[in-house]
Structure formats: structure tokens, C-alpha cells
Amino acid sequence: MSRPEQNNFVLRAFSGTAVVFGIMGGIYQGGWMWFMVVSVLSLLSLAEYYRLLSTQFKVSRGIGYISALAVIFSSAEGVRPVSIVIILSLTVYSIMMLEMVRRQISGGSLAILNTGGTLSGILFIIVPWTCLILLRNMPTGRLLLVALFACTWSCDVAAYLVGTRWGRTLLCEKVSPNKTWEGFIGGALGSVLMIAMIIYFQEQPPFPLFLIGVVCAFAGQFGDLAESLVKRETGVKESGSIIPGHGGALDRFDSILINSLLTYLIFGVFLE
């Protein structure tokens, strides 16, 4: 390993450790501490997402941030699904009104693209982060979140290590040229192994906690590819640079987004 590679490895390890301690500390404390961690990371991710889309077309960031805050704060004391639906609907009408004014003044508008881009950020990023707040408020929320993040990170690390060492068969090269089937399988095994360890050491019944390992084994890797798709279409390599050695907040937490949605769907809706 060359000196630059060694320095980058050390930087990635240091910043990655800091992120882990920050997340786990927020989960352990819960309450407003976790709420603030989620708020900051979700808004940073949304800002990066809007910056990517802005390379292609106009995005109403201000309306998007207001809508994001409304969705996040609605989860502080619990949320009813109808509340989020109303917020999203009002977001659409707000953007339409803005585009009406724009067209009246300049003769041109981008209502469809603007609405789709702005709203997709809320659905792609903010709603999944909100699920992490709702999960923490559940009686077993601390364990669920620890398992969720541990399995997600284990999947990411295992996929990277196995793919780098043994990866030969490309998985989806036109979306993410470095992803391989070997890495995908390694990531899945890493997630399943992690949830098995958590169940064993925490002395928990295998079901339904084992479902988190299965979700993170497959869905999280799809979430990673989903963000890669956005970056390919916008011609950007990384969403940001706020986390040294890892890129942006969206780069670091892309896999957790769909994992949080599915985990809340399982434990907060189906098994409630």
C-alpha cells in the first residue's frame, strides 16, 4: 500500500469511527439527542441531493427544506400517516404556485421537473430518516436501531472487502462500475452474521429480529445503487465532502435509507 493510500485509509478509519460513535451515542441517549442527530444528518443529505439535481434543472430548495422540517418535527411526538401526506401535497401546491409566478414573469416554467426533484428528496431521504426517529420511540427501539446500523455497516464493509479481494463478476456496471456479485454476496453474509451475533449475545429470540439482518443484506445494497444512479445521471462522483475519506452524508448513509423504511414497516406497522 502506497503512502497516499495509507493516509486515506487512516483518514477513513478515523472519520468512520467518529461517525459510529456519534450515531451510537445518539441512539443510546434517545429523545431529543437522537432527534437532533437525525435532523442534522437528514438535512445535510437533502442539501447534497438537491445540489446534485441542481446540475440538471431548477429545484425549489427553500420549499424542500421547509417541507423536510415539517416532516421531521411531525415525528417528534409521533406521527400520523395523514400528516405526512398533507405536508407532501402542500409541497406540490407550493411549487406549482412558484412556477406559475415564474412563467408569468419570464414566460417559462419547470413545474414538472421542479416538483419531481424537490418532492423526491423528501421521499428518498427525509421520510426514511423520520422512520429512525419513530423506531427509537418504540419500547425495543434502542435494540432495533443498534441492530439496523450494525447490520448495514457490516454489509457495507463486507461487500467492500470481498469485492476488492475476490470480485470478478460485475453486478451493475453501468450504474456502479466497481460493484460485483461476489461483493454483493459477501455483504449479505456480513449482515446475516452480524444479526446472528447480536441475537446470540443479547440473548434474543431469533424471530423477528433476524428479519433486520435479511433486510440489510439485500435492500441496503439496492439503496447504495440507487444513490449511484443519481450520481451517474448528474455526472458527480461524490455527493459531498463533509465526512473526510467517505464523501458526503448521503454517500455514507445511502444504504440505511431503505433499510430504515423496511424495518419500520416490519416492526412499526406489521408487528406492532
Side-chain angles (χ1 to χ4, degrees):
M1 183 181 294
S2 64
R3 179 58 63 87
E5 290 176 333
Q6 289 177 347
N7 292 338
N8 184 61
F9 178 80
V10 172
L11 184 63
R12 284 177 60 88
F14 180 80
S15 59
T17 301
V19 168
V20 170
F21 274 101
I23 291 293
M24 290 302 167
I27 292 174
Y28 179 80
Q29 291 294 328
W32 281 98
M33 177 65 74
W34 181 236
F35 178 83
M36 291 303 299
V37 170
V38 169
S39 298
V40 170
L41 290 175
S42 61
L43 290 174
L44 284 174
S45 299
L46 183 64
E48 293 171 356
Y49 181 77
Y50 283 162
R51 186 163 56 247
L52 293 177
L53 297 191
S54 294
T55 64
Q56 303 296 320
F57 53 85
K58 174 68 177 178
V59 180
S60 294
R61 302 188 192 190
I63 295 176
Y65 295 144
I66 293 172
S67 177
L69 288 171
V71 172
I72 293 170
F73 276 98
S74 70
S75 67
E77 299 297 333
V79 63
R80 292 182 299 173
V82 68
S83 301
I84 293 181
V85 173
I86 291 173
I87 291 170
L88 295 178
S89 185
L90 288 174
T91 301
V92 173
Y93 278 104
S94 298
I95 297 171
M96 289 293 184
M97 185 177 299
L98 179 65
E99 291 297 336
M100 289 177 195
V101 174
R102 192 193 313 280
R103 191 171 190 86
Q104 187 66 24
I105 295 175
S106 65
S109 59
L110 293 170
I112 296 175
L113 289 177
N114 192 350
T115 301
T118 304
L119 204 58
S120 67
I122 309 300
L123 296 171
F124 182 48
I125 297 169
I126 300 300
V127 172
W129 275 106
T130 298
C131 288
L132 294 175
I133 298 175
L134 298 175
L135 280 169
R136 183 60 181 86
N137 292 337
M138 295 174 61
T140 58
R142 183 183 296 174
L143 176 61
L144 293 178
L145 287 184
V146 168
L148 177 59
F149 276 94
C151 288
T152 300
W153 289 334
S154 296
C155 180
D156 289 346
V157 172
Y160 173 77
L161 294 177
V162 173
T164 301
R165 178 64 179 84
W166 293 288
R168 297 292 184 272
T169 310
L170 296 178
L171 173 63
C172 196
E173 68 276 12
K174 293 184 179 180
V175 174
S176 185
N178 296 323
K179 293 287 192 300
T180 64
W181 278 105
E182 291 82 358
F184 183 91
I185 294 171
L189 292 176
S191 176
V192 170
L193 178 60
M194 175 56 67
I195 196 62
M197 292 173 60
I198 291 175
I199 290 172
Y200 177 78
F201 287 108
Q202 292 294 317
E203 299 180 348
Q204 296 291 320
F207 186 84
L209 198 59
F210 190 78
L211 294 176
I212 294 180
V214 176
V215 165
C216 296
F218 300 100
Q221 300 194 65
F222 171 75
D224 190 357
L225 286 171
E227 196 226 350
S228 294
L229 178 63
V230 175
K231 291 190 290 187
R232 295 295 86 77
E233 291 189 0
T234 56
V236 177
K237 184 177 181 180
E238 294 182 337
S239 67
S241 57
I242 194 170
I243 305 177
H246 291 272
L250 186 56
D251 292 322
R252 179 66 277 174
F253 296 102
D254 51 4
S255 298
I256 203 71
L257 299 177
I258 189 170
N259 288 347
S260 65
L261 278 173
L262 293 176
T263 300
Y264 181 72
L265 184 65
I266 293 171
F267 290 88
V269 178
F270 291 154
L271 301 178
E272 185 179 17

